[in-house]
Amino acid sequence: MDAQPHSLIACEHCASVYRWHTLEHGETAACERCGSTLWRYSGLGPSSWLALTLAALFIFALANAFPVASLSVQGMVSNATLLDAVHITWRQGHYAVALMTGTVGFVIPMLQILVLLWVLGPLSRGVLPWGFEPIVRLLGMLHPWSMVPVFLLGVLVSVIKLAGMASVELRAGLLGFAVLTVLLTMLSRLQPATLWRMAERARVVPVTLPPMTADTVLAGCHVCGQVQALPSREDPETHHHCERCHAVLHYRKPNSVSRTWALLLAAALLYIPANVLPVMQIVSITGGSGHTILGGVIELWQMGSWDIALIVFIASIVVPLTKLLSLAFLTLSLQWRSTTNLRQRTRLYQMVEFIGQWSMLDVFVVIILAALADFQGLMEISAGAGAASFGLVVVLTMLAAMTFDLRQCWDVEQQPGGELTPAQQVMPSSAGQPSLNHH
């Protein structure tokens, strides 16, 4: 059953409002103002998505039950699962690293799958799930922090690092994580607003049309996507509650610029020890040594694995620096009230959002190496002081990207000559139609 023809959708990057409608096979609806994708065609219904989620749960259990790799040294064999790596890192006293990797590699992906099962089971029968509002809100908070693909790449890098030192074999768990990566990538399309739209089509949640006058200020809920009217003369930083899902609703994110700068400054300060201090310590019968991120890249290059060295260099050095500089540029552009290249700045912000989690690669590499090379008295690898700092840089830059409000850049375009009052920051009195892309 199709959604109500008058339901609206607000672009999350520029706040333009459009009328939702069904797409044909191969079509994608894009915002005419900023070019962002609004929604895509999907031929899958709740039952199909439920089947994929059940498959993801099964593969998740297998991937974590079996080792991802094994290491043989002088007749001794060490197997490593993700949970082994987290446990050994915790045992070595690196609690921050163990908590970060265990949370983003195991706990959050598991919760993500369980939440989807909770929601899709009843929806597949045309019934609204119990606790739909807070559960879907939880899914939105979990999604950016699920890092199974990063862990998968971390295992591959770890195996290549150890290949020149001992006999390393890939195990069944690695194949499980490869399949799980594909499934979770598909399931990532089920954002909170997508699930609410699915519930709309099932006619189990209401859709209301806000008043559309020249003075109406419209805002889209970041959780359920419901477009609703706000009092036009109130402070835009005043928070309201969504009339449908009751999530906190802001016209624009409060204190966006100051909060973004604070997070960027903290990340920039931690970026120094993250690169200067060793992220990994190796203790063997010949002595001990510390390895920095750049030192690990050079080591991979000297081993002849220039392709893996390039991947690690990009993920661990280029990506964090790119995020810091890009977010600083976007924030300065907003403060300078620049209206140039808004579409290009939107693409830059989307790139920062996309690459955010990949900087965690080196932290995963360290814990996998610690689990594989756990031969006390012969060879032992553990996290260094720089690993926790580097993980915090990843977390802080991701939070900075979430805090930055790109819609404020597009607000400036409406009145480039001066400061905007809340009453001036209004949406058109009628919603338009997005552009359709065919592929």
Side-chain angles (χ1 to χ4, degrees):
M1 186 179 295
D2 199 3
Q4 292 89 328
H6 58 259
S7 57
L8 302 178
I9 184 171
C11 176
E12 62 180 10
H13 292 118
C14 72
S16 297
V17 176
Y18 298 94
R19 294 186 183 277
W20 191 93
H21 62 86
T22 304
L23 299 178
E24 300 295 332
H25 179 73
E27 287 185 335
T28 300
C31 177
E32 287 195 330
R33 190 181 185 197
C34 70
S36 301
T37 298
L38 297 172
W39 71 93
R40 304 175 185 274
Y41 167 83
S42 176
L44 301 180
S47 298
S48 300
W49 285 115
L50 177 62
L52 284 174
T53 308
L54 286 170
L57 180 63
F58 178 71
I59 297 298
F60 177 85
L62 291 180
N64 285 280
F66 291 94
V68 293
S70 65
L71 178 69
S72 301
V73 176
Q74 296 184 3
M76 296 184 293
V77 179
S78 175
N79 294 306
T81 65
L82 170 58
L83 293 179
D84 289 337
V86 172
H87 171 70
I88 290 172
T89 304
W90 181 276
R91 189 190 69 195
Q92 293 172 342
H94 303 286
Y95 306 120
V97 176
L99 282 173
M100 280 189 288
T101 52
T103 301
V104 301
F106 180 83
V107 177
I108 290 180
M110 180 181 65
L111 287 176
Q112 184 182 12
I113 294 171
L114 294 177
V115 166
L116 285 173
L117 286 174
W118 183 280
V119 172
L120 292 170
L123 280 182
S124 65
R125 304 191 306 271
V127 177
L128 185 67
W130 183 85
F132 184 66
E133 298 169 8
I135 287 293
V136 173
R137 196 180 311 166
L138 174 63
L139 178 65
M141 292 187 287
L142 294 174
H143 175 261
W145 304 99
S146 179
M147 300 188 186
V148 169
V150 186
F151 172 73
L152 174 65
L153 183 57
V155 175
L156 296 176
V157 172
S158 303
V159 168
I160 292 173
K161 274 179 172 286
L162 291 174
M165 302 167 56
S167 174
V168 186
E169 294 183 6
L170 301 178
R171 296 299 187 188
L174 185 64
L175 177 60
F177 274 105
V179 176
L180 182 62
T181 296
V182 174
L183 291 173
L184 289 180
T185 301
M186 297 173 65
L187 292 173
S188 67
R189 293 184 60 178
L190 295 179
Q191 300 289 335
T194 307
L195 292 171
W196 276 94
R197 195 72 58 179
M198 196 180 293
E200 290 175 16
R201 292 198 295 270
R203 306 283 181 172
V204 295
V205 296
V207 176
T208 58
L209 186 65
M212 305 287 279
T213 67
D215 294 327
T216 300
V217 175
L218 298 180
C221 177
H222 70 284
V223 175
C224 71
Q226 174 76 44
V227 176
Q228 50 212 281
L230 297 181
S232 61
R233 295 188 182 276
E234 290 193 17
D235 184 343
E237 293 188 356
T238 300
H239 72 264
H240 307 270
H241 288 275
C242 175
E243 61 189 24
R244 184 164 70 171
C245 73
H246 310 295
V248 174
L249 179 65
H250 295 282
Y251 175 67
R252 296 293 183 263
K253 296 176 184 177
N255 304 315
S256 171
V257 172
S258 58
R259 292 167 65 191
T260 302
W261 276 124
L263 290 165
L264 284 179
L265 179 60
L269 292 175
L270 285 170
Y271 187 69
I272 298 172
N275 285 276
V276 173
L277 298 176
V279 294
M280 181 173 63
Q281 298 282 355
I282 299 178
V283 178
S284 64
I285 56 176
T286 59
S289 61
H291 296 257
T292 62
I293 294 173
L294 187 58
V297 172
I298 295 173
E299 182 182 348
L300 283 169
W301 187 278
Q302 292 174 343
M303 290 169 54
S305 302
W306 61 267
D307 47 351
I308 302 299
L310 183 61
I311 291 173
V312 175
F313 178 76
I314 292 173
S316 301
I317 296 178
V318 175
V319 168
L321 194 58
T322 299
K323 288 191 295 182
L324 288 169
L325 295 177
S326 298
L327 286 170
F329 166 73
L330 289 170
T331 309
L332 285 172
S333 299
L334 174 57
Q335 290 183 293
W336 293 336
R337 302 188 62 75
S338 171
T339 60
T340 59
N341 301 320
L342 281 173
R343 278 206 167 203
Q344 287 76 9
R345 277 191 271 161
T346 301
R347 301 289 89 75
L348 178 63
Y349 178 73
Q350 290 172 328
M351 180 200 72
V352 170
E353 285 188 307
F354 175 76
I355 65 176
Q357 61 176 236
W358 288 97
S359 303
M360 195 64 82
L361 174 63
D362 248 313
V363 184
F364 277 121
V365 169
V366 169
I367 69 165
I368 290 298
L369 291 176
L372 287 172
D374 186 32
F375 302 105
Q376 296 184 8
L378 180 63
M379 181 173 63
E380 188 174 359
I381 296 178
S382 63
S389 297
F390 193 80
L392 288 174
V393 170
V394 179
V395 172
L396 290 171
T397 52
M398 289 180 67
L399 289 174
M402 296 174 191
T403 301
F404 182 76
D405 198 338
L406 187 66
R407 296 171 298 180
Q408 293 181 348
C409 298
W410 288 93
D411 289 342
V412 176
E413 184 192 44
Q414 296 179 4
Q415 295 285 338
E419 197 72 25
L420 300 183
T421 65
Q424 290 173 315
Q425 296 174 329
V426 299
M427 296 307 302
S429 59
S430 61
Q433 293 290 340
S435 59
L436 298 180
N437 299 327
H438 300 267
H439 55 272

